[in-house]
Amino acid sequence: MNSEKENNGVSLSAMSIMGQRDEQQDAYVYKQLPDRTIAIVCDGMGGLQGGSVASKYVVKRLAYELERADLSVDMYSFFRYELEKLDDEVYGLRGQDGKRIGAGTTVVATILSDNHLHWFSVGDSMLYYIRQEEMHCFTRAHNYMLHLNQKKDNHEISEEDYLKESEKGEQLISYLGMGTAEIFDSNYRPLTVQRGDRLLLCTDGLYRTLSQEEIYSIMKQSGSAERICKLFGNAISSKRVRNQDNATWIVIQRTGE
């Protein structure tokens, strides 16, 4: 558990648990700079520590770029460039034997400056936003189910085939390190964050354990970002899930005008 950080009217706190896994493949970073607040969460995948290498690499590299980004430019294009660059770089990561480690990672990232929020995601880590009594999930899970639903909406697949293929629905179709990643989510225009608004960046270890109703119930609780972070940890622990996945989350709260 990390203590709460507050600067420029923004407070944030983070937590990460291993669950029942042998290795922690999630990685995260959150930084308060004089002119911006940065938060990044990654969920790695790949054996022999490959997932942890990939997630830590992306957290470090993307944080470096966001610390130096010119926020007056088109941030959607900025994130598209980062998608292509990081996908290639993670794909090319090699072990001590010189062979590709064959790992990948999801990513969800936010950068907040002067009440203006830009966000970016690849894979199935999520970004939730709550204002007053309303909660929205800005991101999509970039998995096979997304592809199937698009085919269904376009009447390109039968109901029988749709149900059959849905068994593979959670397989990711876009993540950093696949070498051909194309699908990502980001906002075209900055979102204005108001006092009292909250954001939650998290890996699937959180939202697959807690229902949307439980996430909403915690997000609307009173108190600091650190308190909300702890409430999520308590809620996950109380479930006692036998195969609990790694779970990582960052809570951001706008406290100033």
Side-chain angles (χ1 to χ4, degrees), residues 3-235:
S3 60
E4 186 173 37
K5 294 183 179 180
E6 183 162 1
N7 188 37
N8 296 326
V10 178
S11 65
L12 67 169
S13 185
M15 182 177 284
S16 188
I17 62 172
M18 278 189 60
Q20 301 301 314
R21 298 303 175 92
D22 295 330
E23 180 188 11
Q24 175 58 276
Q25 295 196 329
D26 290 355
Y28 71 92
V29 66
Y30 62 117
K31 294 187 175 184
Q32 291 276 35
L33 303 176
D35 66 335
R36 65 194 65 185
T37 298
I38 296 167
I40 306 170
V41 169
C42 289
D43 182 356
M45 62 200 80
L48 299 176
Q49 298 185 336
S52 62
V53 171
S55 62
K56 290 175 182 177
Y57 180 89
V58 169
V59 160
K60 181 178 179 179
R61 292 292 297 156
L62 185 56
Y64 177 87
E65 297 297 340
L66 288 176
E67 288 175 27
R68 293 155 179 78
D70 179 357
L71 300 182
S72 67
V73 304
D74 176 6
M75 289 300 291
Y76 184 87
S77 297
F78 169 89
F79 282 127
R80 178 180 289 278
Y81 173 76
E82 290 300 318
L83 164 73
E84 296 172 354
K85 182 182 68 172
L86 290 171
D87 182 41
D88 287 342
E89 291 178 0
V90 175
Y91 179 82
L93 289 175
R94 298 180 181 276
Q96 294 181 349
D97 59 2
K99 297 181 180 179
R100 285 183 52 249
I101 62 175
T105 184
T106 71
V107 62
V108 58
T110 61
I111 180 166
L112 178 60
S113 177
D114 293 330
N115 294 354
H116 293 158
L117 176 74
H118 298 274
W119 56 268
F120 166 67
S121 75
V122 184
D124 62 359
S125 293
M126 295 293 176
L127 173 62
Y128 294 90
Y129 186 90
I130 191 164
R131 173 174 292 172
Q132 296 179 349
E133 297 298 317
E134 294 187 6
M135 186 177 77
H136 303 277
C137 184
F138 286 161
T139 50
R140 303 174 295 171
H142 302 145
N143 56 26
Y144 189 51
M145 186 57 69
L146 177 66
H147 173 69
L148 287 178
N149 287 335
Q150 290 173 341
K151 293 186 69 172
K152 184 178 181 181
D153 291 342
N154 294 330
H155 306 288
E156 298 174 350
I157 189 171
S158 68
E159 187 65 26
E160 180 181 359
D161 287 341
Y162 176 82
L163 293 175
K164 181 179 179 180
E165 290 294 304
S166 294
E167 297 177 2
K168 302 179 291 183
E170 293 185 1
Q171 296 179 6
L172 292 182
I173 59 174
S174 188
Y175 59 87
L176 299 179
M178 65 186 299
T180 57
E182 295 182 351
I183 303 173
F184 75 105
D185 287 328
S186 183
N187 52 332
Y188 288 99
R189 297 178 180 177
L191 174 71
T192 299
V193 179
Q194 299 177 359
R195 183 176 183 179
D197 292 356
R198 283 190 180 132
L199 297 111
L200 169 68
L201 296 78
C202 65
T203 60
D204 64 345
L206 184 146
Y207 70 79
R208 294 191 190 280
T209 299
L210 303 179
S211 68
Q212 297 296 295
E213 291 76 15
E214 289 170 320
I215 293 173
Y216 171 72
S217 177
I218 293 173
M219 284 287 281
K220 71 176 184 177
Q221 293 292 315
S222 62
S224 65
E226 184 174 13
R227 178 175 185 267
I228 301 304
C229 228
K230 290 179 178 178
L231 289 176
F232 277 116
N234 294 338

